[in-house]
Amino acid sequence: MARKKSAAEDKARLRFDDGSITRRRIKQGTFRRILPYALTYPWPMTLLVISTVVDAAATAAGPLLLKMVIDDGILPGRTDTVIWLCLGVTGLALVEGAAMYVQAWASGRIGEGVVYDLRNRVFTHIQKQSLTFFTRAQTGALVSRLNTDVVGARQAVTVLLSQTLSVLLSLALVLAAMFYLSWQITLAALAMIPLFLLPARLVSGRLQRLTRERMELDGDMSSLMSERFNVSGAMLAKLYGRVEDESGLFARKAGRVRDIAVLGILYGRTLSIVGTVLTAITTALVYGLGGVLTIDGTLALGTLVAMVALLMRLYGPINQLSSMQATVMTALVSFDRVFEVLDLEPNIAERPGARDLADARPAAGSGEAPDITFEGVSFRYPSGDEAALASLGPAGGDRPGGADEAWTLQNLDFHAPAGKLTALVGPSGAGKTTITQLVPRLYDPDRGTVRIAGQDVRDLTLQSLRDTIGVVTQDAHLFHDTLRANLEYARPGASEQELIDACEAALIWDTVRALPDGLDTLVGDRGYRLSGGEKQRIALARLLLKAPSVVVLDEATAHLDSDSEAAIQRALKTALAGRTSLVIAHRLSTIREADRILVVEAGQIREQGTHKELLAADGLYAALYRTQFAQDEPLEEAAVLDPA
Ligand SMILES: Nc1ncnc2c1ncn2[C@@H]1O[C@H](COP(=O)(O)OP(=O)(O)OP(=O)(O)O)[C@@H](O)[C@H]1O
């Protein structure tokens, strides 16, 4: 039964083509947008054009020389002419070889250059996206856009550039040479061309759909891997005994990729088989027609041989043209998917003319911490469509957020004084984290204004805003690198002593020093090698290195033993001293330290004041205090404050 259910769930999670994505057509203008990327390489472009022209000319000239060898050398019996002309054919072959070599270098250089440009652009562009984008997009799908799709796009460039020009030129020159030799045979050969192009027309649409589906599946597989191969995902799969099911899910996606690849090979082969058969039939036709004309005496033998040689060179490019259409169509899908990401405007962006926070502060350089003010702030999380691409998200399912959603925050008005500690308390899901995220502009309010040092945060440069604000979240993230690298992230080039000082102030230095590799210890994926308390203190050390004048902190909820609790409290005191701090408080000790307490419930601020004032008011805070914090209170004080 359980198996049955999990199979059904897997089916729902497994995105076989529902058509919504694979049936999409290539956007108009995709083609035009590709060219500027290639034009940034003027030298390789010039060489590519020159070598292509040389190659095409050599292709058409070869058979003409052969005709002369037969008609002017062999048949009249002139040995020296035969030798000279054959030397000419050899020279021409060498020139053609050299031209092909240059062509390969130039198109490779341009193609790889375009991959390089696109990769960097996509990477930078994705980094600029707002947090909403990352909460919606799947990491693996993003990685796959940078890898598979960008490489697919290179094919479009190389094939388009090197082959289109070469094929068109060769066709023109070869046809000219053929008409010059025999218009009758040329017309007969031309009549066959539509037959060559027909199969490509039939399969290219199908190939395009398959390519899009394959790329979606590649993205899905990357997502699955990146989710299951990190510590949390791997732990969940083990603890819920789902390892086998996960393998099954992966195998089905990989199986579909295999099937698509086999179909792709089949389509490709069909094209080349049809091409080969048609070439053979046409050769027979030309020999037949040409043979009769030669016997009549209308056509010289050399001309017939040259015509057949030219014909081979005519159908080569035509076959290429038919497969090229398919290749380009599928490669265009890649470009389309890459442009789709590049076109996504980040919904948190810097205003033109934005000022630096330091410039905006009246007492610039005074070292004073700025204050924070919320004026009539209302906010709801953006919907998925507003901030991400459907094709980067998980399969199916509604996405949270949206215009008809209730407000997450409503009409907030408060002031967090400069250099003071403001604590946010309230039930889970009240909106505390959301409030703190509006200050460094991880999100923007829908109504009202968030001010820092009296300035609307939307008028400030993002860099100066984020330099001013330091954030420590509850589950502080560490990169899979050494402790040193993680600390230096806050201040590149920090000296050894500065790192040690920060660790000492965060009361983590003794722990770090005791590690066999000290600061050079690898912290493991997301810092899994450290305990929760240690991780938070490392994050505090990182914050101290950054030395921001505003601190936003989400206290860890986990209960620690009294020694660790005391260590964290002392570390916090150092971290927050003299800074404007907004702390989501889960501990009584922090709340008691706070200069101001904001009580948040259902996205609104219900009460504001000091601990004592709020207790005296006997409202929501007093109730929260009794249920959450009273047990931490020294007995006699609790008895006084809470007679019940
Ligand atoms: N990225 C998001 N997209 C949509 N809704 C969200 C998002 N993050 C949070 N929410 C919703 O916003 C509301 C407020 O969440 P928030 O995290 O601010 O609460 P909180 O008071 O910090 O809770 P806790 O104390 O449990 O951390 C919740 O109802 C939550 O479901």
Side-chain angles (χ1 to χ4, degrees), residues 31-111:
F31 203 72
R32 242 180 300 128
R33 283 178 73 174
I34 299 174
L35 209 59
Y37 281 90
L39 292 179
T40 48
Y41 297 91
W43 268 112
M45 271 302 268
T46 316
L47 281 175
L48 185 69
V49 172
I50 295 173
S51 55
T52 306
V53 172
V54 171
D55 180 26
T59 307
L64 294 181
L65 281 181
L66 279 179
K67 168 196 155 39
M68 287 159 76
V69 171
I70 296 171
D71 291 343
D72 305 338
I74 300 173
L75 295 180
R78 283 197 219 115
T79 318
D80 54 340
T81 310
V82 171
I83 292 173
W84 278 116
L85 283 171
C86 284
L87 282 176
V89 173
T90 313
L92 205 62
L94 289 177
V95 169
E96 197 175 348
M100 281 160 74
Y101 191 78
V102 174
Q103 240 179 352
W105 174 84
S107 69
R109 179 74 191 80
I110 298 168

XYZ file of all heavy atoms in Angstrom, residues 31-111:
605
model
N 16.893 34.750 -32.614
C 17.918 34.644 -33.629
C 18.744 35.931 -33.719
O 19.965 35.905 -33.741
C 17.186 34.383 -34.945
C 18.023 33.723 -35.964
C 18.364 32.395 -35.833
C 18.468 34.436 -37.063
C 19.142 31.785 -36.788
C 19.251 33.827 -38.018
C 19.581 32.497 -37.877
N 18.015 37.060 -33.728
C 18.700 38.352 -33.876
C 19.570 38.680 -32.672
O 20.537 39.407 -32.764
C 17.665 39.460 -34.096
C 17.828 40.138 -35.447
C 16.804 41.216 -35.650
N 15.448 40.680 -35.603
C 14.488 41.170 -34.831
N 14.720 42.187 -34.030
N 13.280 40.642 -34.833
N 19.182 38.134 -31.514
C 19.941 38.456 -30.301
C 21.262 37.700 -30.226
O 22.131 38.037 -29.436
C 19.108 38.094 -29.070
C 18.036 39.101 -28.805
C 17.219 38.685 -27.626
N 17.927 38.850 -26.362
C 17.339 38.650 -25.193
N 16.090 38.293 -25.135
N 18.024 38.810 -24.081
N 21.386 36.650 -31.035
C 22.590 35.830 -30.941
C 23.773 36.530 -31.599
O 24.892 36.493 -31.092
C 22.353 34.451 -31.598
C 21.226 33.731 -30.856
C 23.613 33.619 -31.591
C 20.802 32.444 -31.494
N 23.486 37.196 -32.717
C 24.567 37.754 -33.533
C 25.510 38.694 -32.762
O 26.729 38.546 -32.867
C 23.971 38.451 -34.762
C 24.893 38.449 -35.975
C 25.250 37.041 -36.392
C 24.238 39.205 -37.131
N 24.975 39.639 -31.970
C 25.891 40.539 -31.261
C 26.911 39.798 -30.401
O 28.037 40.262 -30.231
C 24.962 41.371 -30.364
C 23.636 41.288 -31.000
C 23.575 39.979 -31.705
N 26.521 38.624 -29.885
C 27.480 37.867 -29.066
C 28.671 37.451 -29.912
O 29.806 37.493 -29.481
C 26.810 36.618 -28.489
C 25.960 36.925 -27.290
C 24.623 37.236 -27.429
C 26.509 36.926 -26.012
C 23.841 37.538 -26.336
C 25.740 37.229 -24.902
C 24.407 37.531 -25.075
O 23.644 37.840 -23.991
N 28.382 37.019 -31.143
C 29.463 36.562 -32.016
C 30.280 37.742 -32.518
O 31.500 37.628 -32.705
C 28.877 35.795 -33.180
N 29.621 38.888 -32.717
C 30.327 40.034 -33.291
C 31.328 40.664 -32.330
O 32.106 41.531 -32.720
C 29.322 41.094 -33.764
C 28.470 40.650 -34.961
C 27.498 41.736 -35.360
C 29.336 40.266 -36.155
N 31.321 40.218 -31.082
C 32.314 40.762 -30.150
C 33.690 40.152 -30.410
O 34.641 40.472 -29.725
C 31.931 40.501 -28.678
O 31.566 39.130 -28.564
C 30.808 41.389 -28.218
N 33.777 39.251 -31.385
C 35.078 38.640 -31.714
C 35.435 38.994 -33.156
O 35.337 38.147 -34.057
C 35.005 37.118 -31.517
C 34.729 36.776 -30.082
C 33.426 36.628 -29.624
C 35.768 36.671 -29.166
C 33.166 36.369 -28.295
C 35.521 36.412 -27.836
C 34.218 36.263 -27.410
O 33.976 36.023 -26.095
N 35.846 40.244 -33.419
C 36.028 40.689 -34.807
C 37.115 39.920 -35.552
O 36.922 39.559 -36.717
C 36.386 42.164 -34.677
C 36.786 42.377 -33.259
C 36.135 41.306 -32.451
N 38.252 39.630 -34.878
C 39.340 38.947 -35.590
C 38.987 37.533 -36.001
O 39.074 37.181 -37.185
C 40.624 38.974 -34.746
C 41.419 40.174 -35.111
C 41.675 41.263 -34.333
C 42.034 40.441 -36.379
N 42.385 42.187 -35.015
C 42.644 41.716 -36.284
C 42.118 39.753 -37.584
C 43.325 42.298 -37.334
C 42.802 40.329 -38.633
C 43.394 41.583 -38.504
N 38.543 36.706 -35.044
C 38.120 35.360 -35.462
C 37.017 35.416 -36.519
O 36.999 34.600 -37.443
C 37.612 34.735 -34.167
C 38.340 35.458 -33.092
C 38.526 36.856 -33.585
N 36.127 36.423 -36.423
C 35.048 36.538 -37.410
C 35.619 36.787 -38.800
O 35.216 36.149 -39.779
C 34.120 37.707 -37.042
C 32.981 37.352 -36.120
S 31.934 36.078 -36.762
C 30.733 37.048 -37.599
N 36.579 37.735 -38.884
C 37.174 38.053 -40.176
C 37.854 36.815 -40.763
O 37.662 36.474 -41.944
C 38.228 39.174 -40.000
O 37.663 40.157 -39.142
C 38.629 39.778 -41.313
N 38.645 36.138 -39.935
C 39.349 34.940 -40.413
C 38.362 33.865 -40.847
O 38.596 33.148 -41.831
C 40.251 34.403 -39.305
C 41.570 35.168 -39.143
C 42.355 34.648 -37.958
C 42.411 35.015 -40.426
N 37.260 33.784 -40.100
C 36.257 32.781 -40.437
C 35.679 33.050 -41.827
O 35.565 32.127 -42.658
C 35.129 32.807 -39.395
C 34.062 31.739 -39.558
C 34.633 30.361 -39.241
C 32.863 32.005 -38.655
N 35.357 34.312 -42.096
C 34.776 34.652 -43.392
C 35.790 34.363 -44.505
O 35.474 33.702 -45.505
C 34.332 36.136 -43.419
C 33.902 36.545 -44.819
C 33.191 36.359 -42.428
N 37.050 34.829 -44.306
C 38.070 34.633 -45.353
C 38.281 33.139 -45.620
O 38.242 32.682 -46.766
C 39.408 35.285 -44.943
C 39.219 36.806 -44.859
C 40.526 34.927 -45.930
C 40.420 37.542 -44.311
N 38.463 32.358 -44.538
C 38.760 30.940 -44.741
C 37.563 30.237 -45.382
O 37.740 29.310 -46.187
C 39.137 30.269 -43.424
O 38.126 30.475 -42.481
N 36.356 30.679 -45.040
C 35.177 30.049 -45.634
C 35.108 30.315 -47.135
O 34.811 29.408 -47.925
C 33.894 30.575 -44.945
O 34.039 30.381 -43.553
C 32.669 29.865 -45.428
N 35.415 31.562 -47.518
C 35.384 31.905 -48.947
C 36.434 31.074 -49.696
O 36.149 30.483 -50.750
C 35.636 33.418 -49.137
C 35.812 33.757 -50.613
C 34.485 34.225 -48.539
N 37.639 30.987 -49.114
C 38.715 30.214 -49.760
C 38.294 28.757 -49.905
O 38.448 28.137 -50.969
C 40.024 30.333 -48.936
C 41.086 29.371 -49.461
C 40.540 31.767 -48.970
N 37.734 28.216 -48.824
C 37.320 26.812 -48.831
C 36.264 26.559 -49.916
O 36.366 25.605 -50.708
C 36.763 26.467 -47.438
C 36.305 25.024 -47.359
O 36.839 24.199 -48.130
O 35.417 24.716 -46.549
N 35.264 27.477 -49.993
C 34.185 27.293 -50.968
C 34.723 27.396 -52.395
O 34.353 26.601 -53.273
C 33.091 28.332 -50.731
N 35.629 28.348 -52.615
C 36.196 28.521 -53.962
C 36.982 27.278 -54.361
O 36.874 26.790 -55.500
C 37.086 29.759 -53.983
N 37.769 26.740 -53.404
C 38.567 25.545 -53.703
C 37.653 24.368 -54.012
O 37.925 23.554 -54.901
C 39.478 25.232 -52.521
N 36.539 24.280 -53.269
C 35.582 23.188 -53.486
C 35.054 23.199 -54.922
O 34.946 22.161 -55.576
C 34.383 23.340 -52.513
O 34.898 23.458 -51.206
C 33.433 22.171 -52.596
N 34.725 24.401 -55.416
C 34.153 24.485 -56.762
C 35.223 24.350 -57.843
O 34.969 23.821 -58.926
C 33.412 25.814 -56.916
N 36.453 24.822 -57.541
C 37.504 24.831 -58.567
C 38.070 23.442 -58.850
O 38.474 23.144 -59.984
C 38.617 25.783 -58.149
N 38.106 22.573 -57.831
C 38.702 21.234 -57.962
C 38.187 20.481 -59.175
O 38.963 20.082 -60.068
N 36.863 20.264 -59.290
C 36.329 19.508 -60.426
C 36.625 20.169 -61.777
O 36.823 19.463 -62.779
C 34.818 19.500 -60.153
C 34.703 19.674 -58.683
C 35.833 20.548 -58.290
N 36.677 21.529 -61.794
C 36.979 22.199 -63.068
C 38.387 21.830 -63.530
O 38.636 21.599 -64.719
C 36.836 23.714 -62.918
C 35.403 24.220 -62.651
C 35.367 25.733 -62.549
C 34.454 23.752 -63.769
N 39.316 21.763 -62.574
C 40.688 21.348 -62.923
C 40.703 19.915 -63.438
O 41.410 19.576 -64.391
C 41.600 21.484 -61.704
C 42.099 22.903 -61.370
C 43.006 22.874 -60.156
C 42.862 23.493 -62.559
N 39.878 19.058 -62.771
C 39.819 17.652 -63.200
C 39.341 17.541 -64.653
O 39.847 16.746 -65.441
C 38.858 16.866 -62.302
C 39.434 16.397 -60.969
C 38.374 15.653 -60.169
C 40.644 15.479 -61.205
N 38.331 18.387 -64.976
C 37.820 18.387 -66.361
C 38.952 18.720 -67.333
O 39.132 18.068 -68.366
C 36.681 19.409 -66.490
C 36.282 19.679 -67.933
C 35.469 20.941 -68.044
C 35.546 21.591 -69.411
N 35.559 20.739 -70.576
N 39.773 19.742 -66.922
C 40.875 20.139 -67.804
C 41.915 19.022 -67.922
O 42.499 18.808 -68.989
C 41.526 21.429 -67.281
C 40.634 22.659 -67.519
S 41.057 24.024 -66.441
C 42.537 24.611 -67.217
N 42.144 18.295 -66.799
C 43.106 17.187 -66.849
C 42.674 16.199 -67.933
O 43.478 15.767 -68.774
C 43.199 16.466 -65.478
C 44.019 15.183 -65.588
C 43.789 17.386 -64.425
N 41.366 15.859 -67.937
C 40.884 14.851 -68.891
C 40.823 15.411 -70.321
O 41.423 14.864 -71.261
C 39.493 14.325 -68.471
C 39.620 13.606 -67.116
C 38.915 13.377 -69.530
C 38.313 13.231 -66.475
N 40.073 16.555 -70.453
C 39.810 17.060 -71.812
C 41.027 17.700 -72.479
O 41.222 17.569 -73.684
C 38.649 18.066 -71.777
C 37.330 17.363 -71.453
O 37.299 16.118 -71.595
O 36.364 18.037 -71.046
N 41.861 18.419 -71.659
C 42.999 19.130 -72.265
C 44.317 18.382 -72.118
O 45.295 18.708 -72.785
C 43.174 20.528 -71.635
C 41.896 21.340 -71.736
O 41.072 21.020 -72.613
O 41.709 22.270 -70.909
N 44.364 17.391 -71.198
C 45.624 16.685 -70.971
C 45.576 15.251 -71.453
O 46.265 14.876 -72.403
N 44.729 14.429 -70.811
C 44.707 12.994 -71.103
C 44.258 12.707 -72.545
O 44.973 12.041 -73.302
C 43.797 12.239 -70.111
C 44.302 12.433 -68.675
C 43.728 10.741 -70.447
C 43.414 11.873 -67.590
N 43.060 13.248 -72.923
C 42.525 12.910 -74.251
C 43.445 13.384 -75.383
O 43.728 12.613 -76.299
C 41.087 13.421 -74.398
C 40.062 12.742 -73.458
C 38.658 13.296 -73.659
C 40.053 11.216 -73.645
N 43.958 14.642 -75.389
C 44.898 15.035 -76.462
C 46.289 14.425 -76.278
O 47.134 14.590 -77.156
C 44.993 16.564 -76.340
C 43.984 16.995 -75.328
C 43.664 15.800 -74.504
N 46.586 13.752 -75.145
C 47.885 13.108 -74.924
C 48.993 14.065 -74.553
O 50.157 13.832 -74.894
N 48.673 15.189 -73.790
C 49.732 16.141 -73.393
C 50.173 15.858 -71.957
O 49.498 16.237 -70.989
C 49.203 17.579 -73.491
C 49.140 18.076 -74.924
C 49.028 19.612 -74.957
N 48.119 19.980 -76.027
C 46.941 20.567 -75.871
N 46.524 20.884 -74.654
N 46.192 20.848 -76.905
N 51.369 15.202 -71.844
C 51.830 14.766 -70.524
C 52.107 15.946 -69.594
O 51.703 15.927 -68.423
C 53.138 13.937 -70.669
O 52.974 13.076 -71.779
C 53.428 13.148 -69.413
N 52.844 16.974 -70.122
C 53.218 18.071 -69.213
C 51.985 18.785 -68.668
O 51.921 19.165 -67.496
C 54.177 19.051 -69.897
C 53.617 19.565 -71.220
O 52.715 18.876 -71.764
O 54.049 20.637 -71.683
N 50.942 18.943 -69.504
C 49.699 19.588 -69.033
C 49.092 18.774 -67.899
O 48.670 19.312 -66.866
C 48.679 19.690 -70.187
O 49.317 20.253 -71.314
C 47.474 20.525 -69.796
N 49.074 17.413 -68.120
C 48.509 16.541 -67.069
C 49.259 16.749 -65.765
O 48.660 16.943 -64.697
C 48.580 15.053 -67.501
C 48.202 14.139 -66.334
C 47.662 14.790 -68.684
N 50.612 16.765 -65.841
C 51.419 16.893 -64.611
C 51.154 18.235 -63.936
O 50.877 18.302 -62.742
C 52.926 16.723 -64.931
C 53.160 15.259 -65.345
C 53.785 17.081 -63.715
C 54.538 14.966 -65.846
N 51.206 19.314 -64.699
C 50.997 20.649 -64.106
C 49.618 20.777 -63.468
O 49.470 21.299 -62.363
C 51.192 21.751 -65.152
C 52.653 22.080 -65.340
C 53.396 21.916 -66.464
C 53.527 22.624 -64.350
N 54.703 22.292 -66.264
C 54.807 22.738 -64.948
C 53.383 22.987 -63.023
C 55.919 23.224 -64.274
C 54.492 23.478 -62.353
C 55.737 23.587 -62.978
N 48.627 20.288 -64.225
C 47.260 20.406 -63.685
C 47.093 19.572 -62.414
O 46.439 20.000 -61.457
C 46.233 19.976 -64.739
C 45.973 21.029 -65.828
C 45.113 20.448 -66.943
C 45.289 22.257 -65.224
N 47.706 18.365 -62.402
C 47.590 17.523 -61.197
C 48.291 18.172 -60.013
O 47.832 18.087 -58.864
C 48.137 16.122 -61.448
S 46.960 15.170 -62.412
N 49.440 18.837 -60.291
C 50.106 19.584 -59.217
C 49.175 20.695 -58.701
O 49.083 20.962 -57.498
C 51.423 20.191 -59.717
C 52.592 19.202 -59.819
C 53.826 19.890 -60.415
C 52.923 18.617 -58.446
N 48.456 21.306 -59.664
C 47.484 22.356 -59.293
C 46.395 21.801 -58.393
O 46.025 22.402 -57.376
N 45.866 20.589 -58.747
C 44.812 19.958 -57.927
C 45.341 19.699 -56.516
O 44.668 19.954 -55.510
C 44.329 18.642 -58.578
C 43.362 17.898 -57.660
C 43.655 18.930 -59.916
N 46.621 19.222 -56.447
C 47.217 18.945 -55.136
C 47.319 20.238 -54.318
O 46.953 20.271 -53.142
C 48.645 18.348 -55.311
O 48.561 17.324 -56.298
C 49.170 17.792 -54.006
N 47.836 21.282 -54.968
C 47.983 22.572 -54.271
C 46.646 23.058 -53.754
O 46.532 23.524 -52.608
N 45.627 22.894 -54.601
C 44.285 23.352 -54.220
C 43.790 22.586 -52.981
O 43.191 23.168 -52.066
C 43.333 23.103 -55.391
C 42.106 23.988 -55.453
C 42.498 25.446 -55.610
C 41.218 23.564 -56.616
N 44.088 21.266 -52.969
C 43.667 20.451 -51.819
C 44.346 20.943 -50.548
O 43.733 21.010 -49.475
C 43.997 18.989 -52.065
N 45.648 21.307 -50.676
C 46.376 21.796 -49.497
C 45.777 23.113 -49.001
O 45.594 23.319 -47.801
C 47.861 21.975 -49.829
C 48.642 20.667 -50.032
C 50.094 20.958 -50.432
C 48.610 19.814 -48.766
N 45.471 23.998 -49.962
C 44.872 25.286 -49.584
C 43.532 25.046 -48.882
O 43.220 25.652 -47.851
C 44.666 26.170 -50.843
C 43.817 27.388 -50.518
C 46.010 26.595 -51.404
N 42.761 24.106 -49.429
C 41.459 23.806 -48.841
C 41.627 23.286 -47.410
O 40.905 23.682 -46.496
C 40.744 22.769 -49.711
C 39.264 22.706 -49.412
C 38.517 21.754 -50.357
O 39.108 21.344 -51.360
O 37.357 21.444 -50.044
N 42.619 22.403 -47.230
C 42.887 21.856 -45.890
C 43.221 22.966 -44.912
O 42.693 23.015 -43.797
N 44.127 23.877 -45.355
C 44.544 24.969 -44.473
C 43.338 25.845 -44.125
O 43.155 26.247 -42.965
C 45.629 25.801 -45.151
N 42.502 26.114 -45.130
C 41.329 26.965 -44.890
C 40.393 26.309 -43.881
O 39.852 26.969 -42.985
C 40.594 27.216 -46.202
N 40.233 24.979 -43.992
C 39.352 24.276 -43.056
C 39.903 24.344 -41.639
O 39.163 24.455 -40.660
C 39.174 22.819 -43.502
C 38.166 22.699 -44.645
S 38.339 21.167 -45.564
C 37.640 20.012 -44.426
N 41.226 24.302 -41.538
C 41.870 24.370 -40.223
C 41.588 25.728 -39.568
O 41.183 25.798 -38.407
C 43.374 24.151 -40.403
C 44.098 23.927 -39.107
C 44.031 22.684 -38.473
C 44.831 24.943 -38.514
C 44.672 22.471 -37.273
C 45.476 24.735 -37.316
C 45.403 23.506 -36.696
O 46.026 23.303 -35.511
N 41.793 26.784 -40.342
C 41.549 28.137 -39.820
C 40.076 28.284 -39.427
O 39.741 28.845 -38.376
C 41.934 29.207 -40.870
C 41.559 30.595 -40.396
C 43.422 29.135 -41.170
N 39.203 27.730 -40.280
C 37.764 27.781 -40.000
C 37.441 27.135 -38.651
O 36.703 27.688 -37.845
C 37.049 26.959 -41.072
C 36.078 27.748 -41.872
C 35.438 26.846 -42.925
O 35.829 25.696 -43.129
N 34.463 27.382 -43.583
N 38.039 25.957 -38.412
C 37.778 25.238 -37.160
C 38.238 26.077 -35.970
O 37.541 26.204 -34.960
C 38.487 23.892 -37.168
N 39.428 26.690 -36.110
C 39.946 27.505 -35.000
C 39.024 28.697 -34.743
O 38.637 28.952 -33.602
C 41.366 28.005 -35.326
C 41.844 28.957 -34.269
C 42.420 28.621 -33.081
C 41.741 30.389 -34.286
N 42.676 29.748 -32.352
C 42.271 30.862 -33.060
C 41.248 31.319 -35.204
C 42.332 32.216 -32.736
C 41.301 32.670 -34.878
C 41.842 33.099 -33.667
N 38.673 29.390 -35.831
C 37.894 30.617 -35.664
C 36.512 30.320 -35.083
O 36.069 30.988 -34.142
C 37.765 31.339 -37.000
N 35.846 29.271 -35.602
C 34.493 29.023 -35.091
C 34.568 28.509 -33.657
O 33.710 28.825 -32.831
C 33.706 28.089 -35.995
O 34.248 26.809 -35.926
N 35.618 27.736 -33.351
C 35.794 27.274 -31.969
C 36.005 28.451 -31.031
O 35.407 28.545 -29.961
N 36.849 29.378 -31.467
C 37.168 30.539 -30.639
C 35.904 31.368 -30.381
O 35.642 31.789 -29.258
C 38.221 31.384 -31.376
C 38.664 32.642 -30.680
C 39.585 32.311 -29.515
N 39.840 33.465 -28.660
C 39.000 33.910 -27.735
N 37.856 33.308 -27.557
N 39.300 34.953 -27.007
N 35.107 31.550 -31.432
C 33.887 32.349 -31.268
C 32.880 31.595 -30.392
O 32.324 32.140 -29.451
C 33.262 32.688 -32.639
C 34.237 33.532 -33.459
C 31.947 33.431 -32.469
C 33.860 33.678 -34.913
N 32.697 30.307 -30.709
C 31.716 29.505 -29.953
C 32.048 29.468 -28.473
O 31.201 29.739 -27.623
